[in-house]
Amino acid sequence: MYSHAAREGNFMYLVIGATAHFGRQAVEELVAAGAPVRALTRTPERAGLPQEVDVVRADLTKPETLPAALAGVEAAFLVLQYGMDVAPLLATAGRAGVRRLVFLSSGAVVPGAERQPDVIAQYHRDVERAVEASGIEWTFLRLLFPAINSLTYAMQLQGGDGA
């Protein structure tokens, strides 16, 4: 998600879920690349993000907080909490002129299947469908098993729980 325009400061990236593991990594990579990045969080005072980041207070469950966060944004990276209703976000992004959405989805999504194998995959596919219907360009990153989950298992095993 880096372009010549980003180096010139004409292309704002928004990271939604910026304080979650993958969101934070996206923010750090964008900053390292010299891209202007904005981070959406409910608690900016606790975000702990690099000083180059434009940290904004917004809440996906309060649509009235979204227009300011999306103003001037060309592309947004979405790390969403399970069960989040994306309709208000997508509507606001469309009105704000956001050109591309990148959604961190699930590798458990079965392409072409109407019904998914479990509730997590179904939620992610439903979000994908909503993004597709928004008319905004999109990219879906379908991670099969995020490596971060392995850390939980490693700590559990290290603590002697082999079950």
Side-chain angles (χ1 to χ4, degrees):
M1 291 187 1
Y2 184 60
S3 72
H4 176 69
R7 283 179 290 220
E8 295 175 2
N10 298 325
F11 196 100
M12 176 65 69
Y13 297 95
L14 174 67
V15 178
I16 296 174
T19 58
H21 181 76
F22 290 108
R24 185 173 297 277
Q25 286 185 327
V27 166
E28 290 172 358
E29 288 297 319
L30 287 165
V31 168
V37 60
R38 180 177 295 153
L40 182 149
T41 180
R42 289 182 302 237
T43 55
E45 63 280 359
R46 295 190 323 206
L49 295 168
Q51 68 181 29
E52 301 90 343
V53 177
D54 177 22
V55 181
V56 296
R57 181 183 311 275
D59 186 331
L60 297 179
T61 66
K62 298 177 181 173
E64 66 276 10
T65 67
L66 299 176
L70 288 160
V73 169
E74 290 273 334
F77 180 59
L78 312 177
V79 180
L80 301 176
Q81 187 174 9
Y82 172 77
M84 180 66 55
D85 177 12
V86 295
L89 170 63
L90 295 177
T92 306
R95 286 190 299 273
V98 174
R99 292 182 37 214
R100 173 163 293 276
L101 299 170
V102 178
F103 173 51
L104 182 61
S105 190
S106 170
V109 170
V110 177
E114 183 62 31
R115 297 300 310 160
Q116 295 297 317
D118 60 60
V119 295
I120 301 293
Q122 188 65 54
Y123 169 73
H124 283 90
R125 183 59 188 128
D126 290 345
V127 171
E128 290 178 359
R129 285 188 182 109
V131 170
E132 290 167 346
S134 74
I136 300 171
E137 294 177 27
W138 52 266
T139 300
F140 301 143
L141 303 176
R142 290 182 176 163
L143 298 185
L144 186 56
F145 185 79
I148 189 66
N149 291 350
S150 299
L151 292 175
T152 302
Y153 300 129
M155 288 184 284
Q156 183 178 5
L157 290 172
Q158 187 177 25
D161 185 0

